[in-house]
Amino acid sequence: MKLILAIVNNDDAHTVNANLSKNGFFVTKIASTGGFLMSGNSTFLIGVDDAQVESCIELIGKYSKKRVQQAPVDMSYTGQPFTGIPAEVIVGGATIFVLNVEKYEHV
Ligand code: 2BA
């Protein structure tokens, strides 16, 4: 078994959630915040059998769009010199991690 952890733009989260559920995936959606832009995104936790990993990733990718976002003017919280900070960044589609699950219980 694997745990898929997917960070998705809030604008795509509803569609991603709906399509995962429609396709039989069990999903937990957590409200999260990107450390760079400090804006809201959604993190999905999806427990799947090994054989379902690729179809799950494909589905998330299908409904997660790339978009250009403005970086905030004041990013002093990053501790980086201002010269190295881009004015615009490409966000998405989705950032996905696949973790091994040692044990799964539903009691
Ligand atoms: P944020 O951290 O707010 O990052 C938003 C976008 O800013 C990123 O898009 C990337 O294009 C850019 N960016 C992030 N850190 C940067 C840096 N140190 N220097 C220059 N540009 C930077 P994505 O890569 O699509 O990431 C979207 C969101 O996914 C991130 O929001 C963060 O919440 C999460 N994420 C991405 N990579 C991650 C990682 N390796 N570990 C944990 N979370 C990650």
Side-chain angles (χ1 to χ4, degrees):
M1 188 179 198
K2 306 284 186 203
L3 179 68
I4 297 178
L5 205 155
I7 302 156
V8 172
N9 193 293
N10 271 347
D11 294 342
D12 297 325
H14 179 78
T15 315
V16 168
N17 198 355
N19 281 281
L20 286 170
S21 295
K22 201 169 82 181
N23 283 276
F25 291 103
F26 285 19
V27 176
T28 296
K29 178 173 164 290
I30 300 173
S32 46
T33 304
F36 191 69
L37 294 181
M38 297 293 274
S39 61
N41 51 31
S42 296
T43 299
F44 289 92
L45 307 180
I46 312 148
V48 298
D49 291 332
D50 289 18
Q52 297 176 297
V53 169
E54 290 313 316
S55 59
C56 183
I57 291 174
E58 202 176 305
L59 208 50
I60 295 166
K62 183 173 173 185
Y63 295 103
S64 299
K65 300 191 186 94
K66 276 193 168 57
R67 23 178 92 70
V68 177
Q69 272 183 238
Q70 299 291 323
V73 176
D74 180 9
M75 297 195 76
S76 51
Y77 58 83
T78 64
Q80 295 176 29
F82 282 91
T83 46
I85 294 173
E88 290 182 336
V89 289
I90 298 170
V91 184
T95 300
I96 299 173
F97 302 88
V98 180
L99 288 73
N100 287 321
V101 174
E102 199 169 309
K103 189 174 180 183
Y104 168 71
E105 284 192 33
H106 189 233
V107 291

